[in-house]
Amino acid sequence: MNILAKATPAKKAKTKDSQKIAYAYAALLVIFVVAQLFTFDKFLLLLEDFALPGGMPVAHLFGGMLVSCEVLALPFLLGFKLSPLMRILSMVLGWLVPLMWFVLMIWLMFSTNTAVNVGFLGTVVKLMPGWWAVFVSIAMGILAAWSSWGLWPFEYKKHKIVVD
């Protein structure tokens, strides 16, 4: 009995475009996560300035989860050899990243705080909050959906309809 999960290679992408989209989304996530981790202590302070409900503990938890999700979404997007469960988890975390950014950007747009940086690139590059940041998170969601469609880890079974 083998108790370790068996890593399997990724299925071939449905189209070349979906593979390119997955690589582009992975590159975007790498840029985000490197910039955020470069000044992670200041990134957490930036999230505290967003005045999230729950205060500092929620801001730190959100920051840690966000960076972790960005890192763990990469194996699926890059087609690493993974166990089936890890491949699914990585794909779902790829969906969760834009959702978390969307929620954070909507919070920034409708809260009364005066944040001067959205945090996409941590505190390395200051990007002013605005509706553009909401649309960037929506665009990330589109990239995640397109990547998941093109690299879907499950096989499709065609059902035959029998008519008597």
Side-chain angles (χ1 to χ4, degrees):
M1 180 172 141
N2 189 2
I3 60 171
L4 298 175
K6 183 177 179 187
T8 58
K11 297 195 182 323
K12 187 178 177 193
K14 289 183 183 179
T15 65
K16 289 182 182 179
D17 287 340
S18 61
Q19 186 67 53
K20 290 177 186 176
I21 294 295
Y23 287 157
Y25 183 43
L28 181 69
L29 289 181
V30 166
I31 292 168
F32 277 19
V33 80
V34 167
Q36 291 161 4
L37 286 175
F38 189 68
T39 57
F40 189 68
D41 52 342
K42 293 179 184 174
F43 179 64
L44 293 178
L45 293 175
L46 174 69
L47 292 178
E48 286 179 27
D49 290 342
F50 290 173
L52 296 173
M56 182 187 69
V58 171
H60 288 200
L61 179 66
F62 196 86
M65 284 180 49
L66 183 60
V67 170
S68 298
C69 289
E70 288 171 347
V71 170
L72 291 174
L74 294 174
F76 170 75
L77 296 170
L78 297 175
F80 287 0
K81 196 174 182 181
L82 300 169
S83 69
L85 184 59
M86 183 59 196
R87 188 171 315 283
I88 294 166
L89 177 66
S90 183
M91 179 179 67
V92 170
L93 291 176
W95 301 339
L96 194 57
V97 169
L99 178 65
M100 291 174 76
W101 277 116
F102 179 76
V103 168
L104 195 58
M105 293 304 108
I106 291 294
W107 175 259
L108 276 180
M109 291 306 298
F110 291 111
S111 67
T112 58
N113 64 34
T114 57
V116 295
N117 187 2
V118 296
F120 282 147
L121 298 174
T123 58
V124 176
V125 178
K126 288 187 178 181
L127 301 170
M128 294 297 293
W131 284 106
W132 71 270
V134 174
F135 293 123
V136 166
S137 61
I138 292 170
M140 287 174 56
I142 292 169
L143 291 176
W146 195 339
S147 299
S148 296
W149 169 81
L151 304 175
W152 191 252
F154 303 112
E155 294 202 24
Y156 295 106
K157 294 182 180 179
K158 294 184 179 181
H159 298 284
K160 293 182 181 179
I161 299 173
V162 178
V163 180
D164 292 329

